[in-house]
Amino acid sequence: MHQLTTTRHFRTLFLSDVHLGSRAAQAEMLVDFLRYHDAEKIYLVGDIVDGWRLKRSWHWPQAHNDVIQKLLRKARKGAKIIYVPGNHDEFLRDFPGEHFGGVEVKLSDTHMTADGRRFLVIHGDEFDVVVRNARIIAYLGDWAYDAAIAINIVFNTIRRRLGFPYWSFSAWAKLKVKNAVNFIGAFETALADEAEKQSCDGVICGHIHHAQLTRHAGVEYVNTGDWVESCTAIAERHDGSFELIRWSEVVSARSAADAAAIADQARLEKAAEAA
């Protein structure tokens, strides 16, 4: 993958839904992102490790180790890392307050931005009615999601061979389904309501794999997205403002720029030969 020459420094980074242990995890993309992004504090907002899939079948390639090692290295260099477990890594909910390699586990947290705003940090599955009240349906939905991701992998393999950049078929399809769109809206409203109940100015969550920076009745709603479909992160700048980073788009732009540079070089060489 093409290398950048500078590292961006933020006050806080928020990552979620990496799903290490699943074949769909874009681990190489996340390692690339972490190579060029640093922060004083990093929140892991749930579903970093996919315990559900690991129980079904073991899948842990080197790239998944690389993600863990990259995060632990940042912790050793002084970054404060807080892990807020989700439903796929719910086994960590048995260890609130524990520290693992410099990573602190919390069931939820309140983050204070540089400009003094309070944000509830929570994975969000607690407000997903399906996960909370009908676990078997959630598992069935998880298998269906696996199928959609498998299609996505094949789809993007073909696109790469044809010279096209990464594009998430599964994310596009999800947003075209009316019930999914309605669910996303209801989820956002529920999380914003909870933040307001806890006297917070906003909420930062994950879970539904839909990155977003928006407002609900005056409450800020921030969703980190995922590293399965969209490869997104939320960054807090040093002035307290938030930025949604879509890393797959950055990588696609880099690839296009590389291809253009190669084509220009070929044209120059051809012109030189003709002269």
Side-chain angles (χ1 to χ4, degrees):
M1 197 172 282
H2 177 73
Q3 301 294 302
L4 295 179
T5 57
T6 59
T7 299
R8 300 187 69 194
H9 296 271
F10 292 97
R11 186 170 183 266
T12 318
L13 282 174
F14 301 86
L15 304 164
S16 79
D17 298 275
V18 181
H19 290 273
L20 296 175
S22 78
R23 297 182 186 279
Q26 299 282 339
E28 294 91 347
M29 194 90 77
L30 180 53
V31 170
D32 186 56
F33 172 85
L34 291 172
R35 188 176 294 126
Y36 301 109
H37 295 80
D38 274 330
E40 299 166 16
K41 183 189 291 187
I42 300 174
Y43 277 99
L44 304 176
V45 194
D47 288 2
I48 305 302
V49 175
D50 197 324
W52 290 13
R53 286 175 176 81
L54 287 173
K55 284 182 181 178
R56 296 206 296 265
S57 63
W58 186 262
H59 175 76
W60 197 271
Q62 182 58 44
H64 294 208
N65 271 339
D66 293 342
V67 171
I68 301 298
Q69 290 168 3
K70 199 75 175 173
L71 289 168
L72 292 178
R73 191 174 300 121
K74 288 184 182 297
R76 288 196 299 271
K77 290 182 177 179
K80 182 176 183 180
I81 300 183
I82 297 175
Y83 196 138
V84 178
N87 51 308
H88 283 258
D89 46 19
E90 60 191 349
F91 58 91
L92 284 172
R93 287 176 170 163
D94 293 332
F95 304 98
E98 297 292 332
H99 290 74
F100 300 97
V103 178
E104 182 180 3
V105 178
K106 292 188 176 184
L107 300 183
S108 65
D109 199 24
T110 301
H111 174 69
M112 185 77 74
T113 61
D115 56 359
R117 291 173 297 156
R118 287 163 42 88
F119 279 80
L120 171 65
V121 182
I122 190 169
H123 180 64
D125 62 287
E126 302 92 328
F127 298 87
D128 181 339
V129 174
V130 172
V131 171
R132 190 175 63 216
N133 296 329
R135 177 58 66 90
I136 186 62
I137 296 175
Y139 276 113
L140 290 172
D142 197 50
W143 292 335
Y145 184 70
D146 282 350
I149 292 298
I151 293 171
N152 200 63
I153 292 171
V154 173
F155 179 75
N156 275 288
T157 298
I158 295 171
R159 282 179 64 86
R160 279 197 303 272
R161 290 176 180 173
L162 294 175
F164 293 108
Y166 177 86
W167 183 70
S168 180
F169 166 78
S170 53
W172 172 84
K174 181 168 63 178
L175 293 178
K176 293 297 180 182
V177 177
K178 183 178 179 181
N179 286 343
V181 173
N182 290 341
F183 167 75
I184 290 171
F187 179 83
E188 292 177 356
T189 299
L191 267 293
D193 287 348
E194 180 63 21
E196 188 172 28
K197 287 178 185 176
Q198 297 197 27
S199 301
C200 290
D201 300 290
V203 60
I204 300 170
C205 60
H207 186 55
I208 61 171
H209 295 208
H210 182 60
Q212 188 75 278
L213 281 170
T214 188
R215 296 182 70 86
H216 283 267
V219 178
E220 294 193 54
Y221 171 87
V222 180
N223 194 298
T224 58
D226 67 281
W227 288 86
V228 172
E229 300 170 78
S230 55
C231 299
T232 54
I234 295 293
E236 181 199 355
R237 304 186 186 98
H238 290 282
D239 63 358
S241 61
F242 288 114
E243 175 182 340
L244 169 56
I245 303 172
R246 298 185 181 275
W247 194 241
S248 60
E249 294 180 4
V250 174
V251 171
S252 295
R254 283 176 4 193
S255 299
D258 287 348
I262 292 170
D264 288 342
Q265 183 63 31
R267 282 194 292 269
L268 289 172
E269 291 175 357
K270 188 174 182 180
E273 290 173 1

